Amino acid sequence: MNIVAARVIVCSPGRNFVTLKIETSDGLTGVGDATLNGRELAVAAYLDEHVVPLLIGRDPARIEDTWQYLYKGAYWRRGPVTMTAIAAVDTALWDIKGKVAGLPVYQLLGGRSRSGVSVYGHANGATIDELLSSVASFVSRGYTAVRVQAAIPDISEIYGVSTATVYEPASAALPTEAVWSTPHYLAHLPAVFERVRAEFGPTLRLLHDAHHRLTPIEAARLGKALEPYALTWLEDPVPAELQDGYRLIRQHTTTPLAVGEVFNSIWDCERLIRSQLIDYVRATVVHAGGITHLRRIFDLAALHQVRTGSHGATDLSPVCMSAALHLDLAIPNFGLQEYMPHAPETDEVFPHGYRYADGYLHPSEEPGLGVDIDEALAAKYPYRPASLPVNRLTDGTLHDW
Ligand code: EZ4
Ligand code: CO
């Protein structure tokens, strides 16, 4: 059996997605997510121009060899565009291997280590009262873990807070500009968590995403201030290029730390993991080289008591979510999976067998990943340019978004 075709499908059912579909001489197909929010066409071109020609004629069973061929063979290693393209190929090949074996992919990864994949939802509100009812709605649907993001007085628009049913920060063709003030944020957030903890008691798992906006010492102060509310994790307190930032935060607070949604290789977190500077690694299938490479990151994490918390925002397609769930079910050191339901149009274009019940997601039991792309339907939703926002401090200085 060999690969006879590979198609890059760019579509926008609710938002933009890039998907790779590989076809074999036996008539089997496999799918991989290749979506890089706001930079979609760079990955599509990387695949179309530089990867698809290399796939034709290859043996789809040789997943590891193909991974090494694309990684080492490019000479130019790592980076989000390259690693997202490799991830798409890798994911599609795991899908095919599952279909050949007649097994769901988690069985090929060692089988089930748990009965379901524990997920967290996103609660937010323009006021604390609105936030409390948002948390309550997750609790009533069985969620045992909730990410809490709150509006901040005197800041008009803020990451993670929106009244839309499907949160989508990348909507305008060109980047919109938001305003940010760390002093306002640090002054407000502890009181938010005080209210949420008081209302929902000690066992609901609470998380918060600082979205790379703080310095290490500001993050340390926030971590200390939040200690009474026993967060499950504080996410992306500082940008992670400088891994020593986490050492500084760690010296000051017992609030657990999570990072990794922008990581694309094991080298982004090798020191963070080996030095036990973080508690959860949030790398994902689509942006970190596929199931093959993410498994390598998670195995390193397991040796150092770091658990997983894979990114699961709506810009990761149902193909990525399907792959993530198979990995989450199989690995020993799973922590939590982020879950934001997609728009109905997205769900229609990507028919999938995973399902939510009582705080857990369950992967499909079909052979492979249990997800596909309806190409005819996808063609009805053409790509439209959409950028993530940028962030400026109150004096106009460009800041991390
Ligand atoms: O901002 O996926 O934890 N989730 C997040 C996301 C990211 C987007 C960027 O494309 O931080 O909402
Ligand atoms: Co995040």
Side-chain angles (χ1 to χ4, degrees):
M1 181 161 66
N2 54 33
I3 296 172
V4 294
R7 284 190 296 287
V8 180
I9 303 145
V10 181
C11 62
S12 193
R15 70 163 346 280
N16 291 323
F17 293 106
V18 180
T19 309
L20 180 72
K21 189 160 192 171
I22 294 180
E23 260 179 52
T24 74
S25 51
D26 284 12
L28 293 174
T29 60
V31 284
D33 185 16
T35 309
L36 185 62
N37 202 2
R39 295 293 184 269
E40 293 87 358
L41 300 185
V43 184
Y46 190 107
L47 283 167
D48 264 330
E49 305 291 336
H50 303 294
V51 174
V52 167
L54 307 179
L55 297 178
I56 308 304
R58 288 186 73 83
D59 178 356
R62 298 183 64 180
I63 299 179
E64 182 68 40
D65 184 68
T66 301
W67 197 96
Q68 300 294 338
Y69 185 74
L70 295 175
Y71 184 81
K72 294 177 179 162
Y75 185 66
W76 310 106
R77 297 176 185 217
R78 307 187 283 161
V81 174
T82 299
M83 297 303 277
T84 300
I86 295 177
V89 175
D90 184 80
T91 307
L93 294 184
W94 277 102
D95 191 18
I96 290 170
K97 193 177 279 297
K99 289 176 181 175
V100 170
L103 293 170
V105 166
Y106 75 81
Q107 293 290 11
L108 306 179
L109 298 171
R112 186 185 276 283
S113 287
R114 54 196 51 78
S115 52
V117 174
S118 200
V119 296
Y120 68 92
H122 285 203
N124 68 84
T127 62
I128 298 185
D129 286 335
E130 260 183 51
L131 169 65
L132 295 178
S133 51
S134 173
V135 176
S137 87
F138 282 99
V139 172
S140 72
R141 284 175 280 150
Y143 283 79
T144 60
V146 181
R147 191 185 87 161
V148 169
Q149 304 294 132
I152 297 168
D154 302 321
I155 301 186
S156 58
E157 212 179 290
I158 186 159
Y159 168 78
V161 177
S162 137
T163 51
T165 44
V166 179
Y167 180 66
E168 183 47 76
S171 46
L174 296 174
T176 55
E177 302 216 347
V179 176
W180 175 250
S181 162
T182 299
H184 284 77
Y185 170 72
L186 293 179
H188 185 63
L189 200 64
V192 171
F193 274 90
E194 187 179 12
R195 288 279 306 277
V196 175
R197 227 356 136 207
E199 181 90 10
F200 294 95
T203 58
L204 180 66
R205 288 177 290 177
L206 300 178
L207 299 77
H208 177 72
D209 191 346
H211 223 253
H212 326 269
R213 291 169 183 208
L214 306 175
T215 65
I217 205 68
E218 289 164 350
R221 182 181 141 202
L222 179 63
K224 276 179 92 163
L226 296 177
E227 278 173 23
Y229 316 114
L231 267 60
T232 292
W233 78 48
L234 173 62
E235 175 174 333
D236 290 344
V238 295
E241 293 97 319
L242 179 62
Q243 301 193 4
D244 276 342
Y246 282 81
R247 193 182 303 281
L248 201 153
I249 302 169
R250 202 60 150 178
Q251 283 160 355
H252 292 281
T253 180
T254 57
T255 292
L257 304 174
V259 64
E261 67 188 41
V262 304
F263 290 174
N264 53 71
S265 91
I266 200 165
W267 303 108
D268 291 327
C269 47
E270 183 256 354
R271 191 142 47 102
L272 291 175
I273 291 171
R274 271 200 302 116
S275 305
Q276 296 187 300
L277 300 180
I278 57 172
D279 300 279
Y280 295 88
V281 59
R282 287 183 34 75
T284 56
V285 171
V286 56
H287 299 138
I291 291 174
T292 297
H293 192 66
L294 193 58
R295 176 79 201 233
R296 207 149 275 155
I297 295 174
F298 288 173
D299 282 343
L300 178 69
L303 298 179
H304 299 278
Q305 291 190 302
V306 174
R307 286 183 282 176
T308 72
S310 280
H311 191 202
T314 45
D315 48 294
L316 286 59
S317 89
V319 176
C320 178
M321 180 56 83
S322 299
L325 294 175
H326 287 278
L327 200 47
D328 290 341
L329 201 67
I331 55 175
N333 54 328
F334 169 73
L336 258 181
Q337 170 68 52
E338 183 177 31
Y339 176 45
M340 295 174 83
H342 286 107
E345 309 92 285
T346 303
D347 286 336
E348 281 167 36
V349 166
F350 296 97
H352 54 266
Y354 61 79
R355 62 190 171 82
Y356 171 85
D358 300 326
Y360 295 92
L361 275 172
H362 301 276
S364 165
E365 291 294 332
E366 286 167 64
L369 295 174
V371 64
D372 204 349
I373 180 166
D374 179 335
E375 293 182 66
L377 191 56
K380 295 188 179 154
Y381 297 100
Y383 169 81
R384 48 187 185 84
S387 300
L388 285 168
V390 297
N391 216 9
R392 290 189 187 276
L393 302 181
T394 45
D395 71 355
T397 306
L398 198 87
H399 195 61
D400 306 85
W401 179 76

